[in-house]
Amino acid sequence: MTLSQLKKHFSDSLSEVYTDSESVFIFQIFTEDILGLNNFQQRQSADLELSDENANRFQQIISELKTGKPYLQILGETEFYGMKIFVDENVLIPRPETEELLEFAIKKIRDARFEMQDVNNSEFSEEKDTKTLQLSGSPIKILDIGTGSGIIPLVLKKHFPKEEITSIDFSEKALKTAKKNADFHQFEINFIHADYLSLELNKNFDVIISNPPYIGIDEDNEIADSVKGFEPKMALFSPTSDALIFYRKIAEDSKKHLNKNGLLFLEINQKLGQETLALYKDFSHSELIKDLSGNDRFIFGIK
Ligand SMILES: C[S@@+](CC[C@H](N)C(=O)[O-])C[C@H]1O[C@@H](n2cnc3c(N)ncnc32)[C@H](O)[C@@H]1O
C-alpha cells in the first residue's frame, strides 16, 4: 500500500467519526510520528510503499480512533505552552484555556516579584525580567491543586525555576504521568498524593493555582460522550452535586494558608462565574476573567 492509498483508507475508515479535514490533520500527525516525515515530505511521498509493519500500525490506530478515543491519547503526547507533555488515559488532555490561565499567571507572578523587589525600571527587557526573578531572594511557594499531567507546575517551573512548587492530586496514576513529565523536563516538583478535599494544609503559600474538577456529578449529561468515555471522571466531575466544592475549600484554605498579598489563579465553570467569584469576596482584589471565547473562565485574586 502506498502513502496516498493509506491516506484515503484512513479518511474513508473514519468518516463516521471525523470530517475529512480532521482526518487529514490526524493522518499527518501519525505519519510524522511513525514515518518521521513532515507535511512537506508527506506531500512528496505519495507513492512511498509502506512496510507491512507500518501498515499494521496505522490499521491499529484506525481501530482505536474508530472507538472515539482521542488521538492525543493514542499518540501519547502533546505540546502545551511550547513543551512536550506525555498524556494518557489517566490524565485530562491539556486544554487551551489552561494555557491562557498560565499566560496570565506568569505575567502576574512576574509583576508581583518585581514589586517585592522594588524594581521599577521600565526599560528592562523581557530577558532581564526573567534574570531578575531568578536572582531574587527566597523562593516563593506555589501550590497547584489537581495537577493531572502536571502542566501547571511544569510551565511555572520553566518560567520560574527557583520557585518552590507543590502539586497535589488524588489520582496515583495521574501523578505517575505528572512525574514522568517532570523527569523528562528535569524539573523538581513536590508531588503529593492526597484527597485535597480532606487535606489539612500544614504550610503557607504565596500563590495558589488550580484547575479543579468543576462539573457537578448530576450534570454529566452536559458532557460529550467522547470526553466522558475516555478522560478520567475524577478529572472532570466534582464528587458531589456541588460543582463548587473545590472552590469552597480553596477559599477556606486561602484564609489561613495564602500569605498576605498572595495570588490566586483559578480556572472555573463558565456557567458559575458570579457564584464562584462570590467565594473570594474577602480578598483585597478578586475578578472574573473571560477566556478568548468570551466565557467567564478564570478568577484572579490578591489576598
Ligand atoms: C480538571 S483536571 C486538571 C488537570 C490539570 N491541572 C490540567 O489543567 O490539565 C482536575 C484534576 O484534579 C484531580 N482531582 C480530582 N479530585 C481530587 C481531589 N479530591 N484531590 C486532589 N486532586 C483531585 C484529578 O485527578 C485531575 O487530575
Side-chain angles (χ1 to χ4, degrees), residues 10 83 111 119 139 173 239 269 292:
F10 194 90
M83 298 173 78
D111 289 350
V119 174
K173 289 180 175 168
N269 183 328
L292 289 175

Side-chain angles (χ1 to χ4, degrees), residues 32-278:
E32 175 148 19
D33 186 54
I34 293 171
L35 303 179
L37 301 175
N38 63 30
N39 288 354
F40 174 76
Q41 291 165 327
Q42 289 177 29
R43 282 198 294 277
Q44 308 297 309
S45 309
D47 296 331
L48 179 82
E49 277 292 334
L50 272 98
S51 67
D52 286 351
E53 189 194 343
N54 283 338
N56 287 340
R57 282 175 78 187
F58 274 100
Q59 196 48 54
Q60 173 64 31
I61 287 163
I62 290 170
S63 308
E64 287 192 77
L65 287 170
K66 269 185 172 173
T67 67
K69 188 169 180 177
Y71 75 91
L72 288 172
Q73 274 185 8
I74 301 171
L75 191 67
E77 63 182 62
T78 186
E79 194 187 286
F80 182 84
Y81 222 97
M83 298 173 78
K84 176 168 159 164
I85 304 289
F86 296 108
V87 292
D88 54 37
E89 65 282 6
N90 301 310
V91 298
L92 189 83
I93 294 174
R95 305 293 204 263
E97 291 83 1
T98 314
E99 283 191 325
E100 287 182 55
L101 175 73
L102 280 160
E103 189 179 348
F104 183 81
I106 287 165
K107 185 177 176 314
K108 289 292 178 190
I109 295 171
R110 197 169 269 170
D111 289 350
R113 256 315 201 184
F114 258 133
E115 277 163 30
M116 280 161 77
Q117 293 191 147
D118 203 20
V119 174
N120 193 11
N121 183 347
S122 58
E123 283 169 17
F124 265 34
S125 71
E126 184 75 1
E127 194 187 355
K128 279 182 184 163
D129 283 6
T130 313
K131 279 194 182 134
T132 307
L133 278 162
Q134 286 172 0
L135 293 172
S136 61
S138 60
I140 59 168
K141 294 186 175 55
I142 300 174
L143 175 65
D144 158 47
I145 300 156
T147 201
S149 59
I151 47 172
I152 290 178
L154 290 163
V155 172
L156 290 179
K157 199 70 184 173
K158 182 174 172 188
H159 287 79
F160 306 113
K162 295 269 163 95
E163 315 304 7
E164 205 179 287
I165 308 184
T166 300
S167 284
I168 299 173
D169 208 292
F170 197 16
S171 159
E172 265 181 283
K173 289 180 175 168
L175 279 177
K176 203 170 160 213
T177 306
K179 282 178 190 160
K180 177 177 168 187
N181 280 316
D183 288 347
F184 177 79
H185 290 284
Q186 298 187 312
F187 289 157
E188 206 175 297
I189 293 156
N190 179 23
F191 288 111
I192 295 178
H193 175 230
D195 172 7
Y196 172 67
L197 294 175
S198 57
L199 181 70
E200 287 239 3
L201 294 178
N202 57 10
K203 65 178 189 182
N204 283 14
F205 296 90
D206 303 292
V207 175
I208 295 180
I209 184 164
S210 182
N211 175 20
Y214 55 62
I215 301 160
I217 197 77
D218 46 7
E219 293 169 272
D220 84 325
N221 54 345
E222 294 181 21
I223 303 298
D225 286 345
S226 59
V227 174
K228 268 191 307 206
F230 294 94
E231 299 202 67
K233 290 213 169 37
M234 197 200 280
L236 301 166
F237 297 104
S238 137
T240 69
S241 59
D242 178 9
L244 296 184
I245 193 165
F246 285 88
Y247 300 89
R248 290 183 214 287
K249 170 90 159 69
I250 291 169
E252 211 38 51
D253 280 346
S254 297
K255 288 183 186 156
K256 262 209 220 154
H257 297 286
L258 183 62
N259 288 333
K260 189 164 180 288
N261 295 324
L263 306 179
L264 178 75
F265 304 97
L266 302 173
E267 195 166 322
I268 65 162
N269 183 328
Q270 66 186 75
K271 293 187 187 152
L272 301 175
Q274 291 303 336
E275 293 96 310
T276 316
L277 182 66

